[in-house]
Amino acid sequence: MTSDVPTPKYTVPGMTGAQGGQVIGLLRGRLHALNDLALTLKHIHWNVVGPH
């Protein structure tokens, strides 16, 4: 995994900039996984073959 996660200018109270960067990295990974899942399900939905 690359460490190209920027340090945010603003975070929630009590969170350091480094912790905010870690959260950004984790959420970015989950967003990519969700997009992959959505595209996979769309592909499956449009390519269903059969009587039902």
Side-chain angles (χ1 to χ4, degrees):
M1 190 181 248
T2 61
S3 62
D4 60 349
V5 177
T7 301
K9 292 182 182 180
Y10 306 102
T11 62
V12 296
M15 183 181 286
T16 66
Q19 290 171 333
Q22 289 176 341
V23 171
I24 288 171
L26 292 172
L27 290 176
R28 189 176 287 169
R30 294 295 90 212
L31 180 61
H32 289 312
L34 181 61
N35 282 333
D36 286 342
L37 177 62
L39 289 173
T40 300
L41 292 175
K42 180 180 176 183
H43 177 76
I44 291 169
H45 171 76
W46 284 104
N47 291 299
V48 172
V49 178
H52 303 294

